[in-house]
Amino acid sequence: MGGGLLKLDHNEPESNELDDESVGNFFDSLPEGFVSNALALTSPRDVCRLSLVCSIFRSAAEWDVVWEKFLPLDYQKIMAATVDGGGGGSVQFGSKKELYLSLCDHPVIIDGGNKSFWLDKQSGKICYMLAARDLSIVWGDTPRYWRWISIPESRFTEVAELMSVCWFEVHGKINTSMLSADTRYVAYLVYKSTPNTYGFEYHPAEVSVGLSGVEITDERQVKTVFLDPEVYQRQGYEQGQIPGRRRGMFNPFSRLGGQYNVGPPLNGPKPRPDGWRELELGEFVIGKEKEGEVEMNVLEVKGGNWKGGLIVQGIEIRPKPS
């Protein structure tokens, strides 16, 4: 039998194609409120696709009831807690769709400047970046090892610049109740190297992500990664010659041209559109219970050599692309 939403005349040739005009007439006969409620049960990506089908979908896709469903339940509290006062969303934006798109394209600073909040545009899932001030950095308050500076390319007022340490250790935590349920997340260290970066070419770092108090398992693995982008770019060679860099404050004029046996390929930093680099730390799943605290760790403590020159903006947590 022929396909379609309307019954075909038996004298007409069979067809598996929908009649565009008939489809349009069918949907146009539905109450717009009914269509908007149905759209709210889908996803932001589906709403955008369906709005191209016919005029009734396009009109219903503008209703606040659709986009409010994609906003967090406590979005008004979040907007009110932004650093600039927020305005509660409904006052600052003409529609919930405008608010949703703004929260996707323009992260807001919350928690006294310690966190950045936004939404994934395709799914509406919650995303965060924990500022460097919100992380636990070993020796972070000792000016000899770290210093806190302001740079225009950071979304936060302060970033942490590594002066010189032999023990590099950074930890971050976030409560699972702050994130979207039934979602697989990925955590990233967001940082950049400078012309003065040195010491990370001699030993890789170890990273891990998992629920607090949970031992290392298949769900919480320790991975070995490169923090130095130059070493990461050269890992295709079994043994690469790394250009010499300044050794540090205890031997500032010596140059090193040491070799590092790379071995199997390891993970490393990737460039971001905002000019920073991100290093994947690991994945974790938020279940329906949403109870607990997720820990994210970056350590380079085994090499024993002095290293410095990195600038840490924070740790970003966002949904894994589907």
Side-chain angles (χ1 to χ4, degrees):
M1 295 295 295
L5 293 173
L6 300 179
K7 185 176 180 180
L8 294 175
D9 190 295
H10 291 295
N11 295 324
E12 294 179 356
E14 292 187 356
S15 173
N16 289 322
E17 296 181 358
L18 294 175
D19 183 275
D20 292 340
E21 183 178 354
S22 298
V23 172
N25 291 337
F26 173 81
F27 285 118
D28 286 340
S29 66
L30 296 176
E32 194 168 298
F34 174 86
V35 176
S36 64
N37 285 325
L39 291 177
L41 299 176
T42 63
S43 68
R45 179 171 55 184
D46 291 335
V47 170
C48 293
R49 289 175 173 174
L50 289 170
S51 66
L52 302 176
V53 172
C54 61
S55 60
I56 185 66
F57 279 178
R58 189 159 50 250
S59 178
E62 299 296 321
W63 281 43
D64 278 352
V65 67
V66 176
W67 296 98
E68 188 159 22
K69 187 65 179 294
F70 303 142
L71 292 169
L73 294 177
D74 58 347
Y75 75 91
Q76 291 183 331
K77 180 180 178 180
I78 293 173
M79 293 301 297
T82 58
V83 170
D84 61 359
S90 59
V91 176
Q92 189 174 1
F93 297 91
S95 69
K96 295 298 189 297
K97 180 181 179 180
E98 291 178 3
L99 175 58
Y100 176 86
L101 294 177
S102 177
L103 287 175
C104 293
D105 296 331
H106 306 288
V108 295
I109 306 300
I110 62 172
D111 191 24
N114 287 329
K115 292 182 179 68
S116 175
F117 167 88
W118 72 102
L119 300 175
D120 178 72
K121 182 175 286 187
Q122 293 193 7
S123 66
K125 302 289 187 178
I126 293 172
C127 309
Y128 281 100
M129 184 189 290
L130 312 182
R133 277 292 188 188
D134 204 35
L135 306 178
S136 174
I137 302 177
V138 174
W139 305 111
D141 293 326
T142 306
R144 176 184 177 184
Y145 303 122
W146 291 84
R147 69 169 181 163
W148 295 90
I149 60 174
S150 297
I151 56 177
E153 57 266 35
S154 172
R155 68 179 62 175
F156 303 107
T157 56
E158 286 186 308
V159 295
E161 182 181 17
L162 175 60
M163 304 302 292
S164 190
V165 296
C166 61
W167 188 282
F168 182 85
E169 186 171 352
V170 177
H171 303 278
K173 290 184 178 181
I174 189 169
N175 196 294
T176 57
S177 63
M178 299 173 61
L179 301 170
S180 299
D182 298 323
T183 304
R184 178 172 289 275
Y185 278 93
V186 186
Y188 302 87
L189 178 70
V190 180
Y191 70 105
K192 62 171 54 183
S193 56
T194 69
N196 297 321
T197 300
Y198 65 92
F200 290 98
E201 63 266 41
Y202 303 108
H203 203 282
E206 293 181 344
V207 299
S208 65
V209 173
L211 287 175
S212 179
V214 176
E215 296 181 356
I216 303 300
T217 63
D218 290 340
E219 293 296 321
R220 182 176 181 175
Q221 297 180 340
V222 173
K223 298 190 297 183
T224 305
V225 300
F226 287 119
L227 281 163
D228 189 313
E230 290 188 7
V231 178
Y232 176 55
Q233 291 168 2
R234 289 171 171 78
Q235 69 169 314
Y237 298 96
E238 182 179 356
Q239 192 174 50
Q241 181 72 24
I242 306 304
R245 283 179 172 164
R246 201 169 54 136
R247 189 178 185 88
M249 60 184 178
F250 294 106
N251 193 1
F253 300 105
S254 65
R255 305 289 294 184
L256 298 178
Q259 293 183 344
Y260 179 76
N261 192 350
V262 177
L266 303 180
N267 294 324
K270 308 285 196 309
R272 291 162 53 100
D274 58 8
W276 293 79
R277 295 182 182 274
E278 63 182 28
L279 177 70
E280 182 176 323
L281 307 182
E283 303 179 8
F284 61 96
V285 178
I286 302 296
K288 294 182 179 180
E289 298 79 9
K290 297 178 62 177
E291 295 181 357
E293 199 170 42
V294 175
E295 294 181 340
M296 298 150 285
N297 309 297
V298 187
L299 298 91
E300 203 291 80
V301 299
K302 295 180 178 179
N305 58 288
W306 289 87
K307 40 199 162 279
L310 296 185
I311 297 177
V312 176
Q313 182 175 193
I315 291 180
E316 185 167 290
I317 302 143
R318 61 180 190 261
K320 183 175 182 178
S322 57

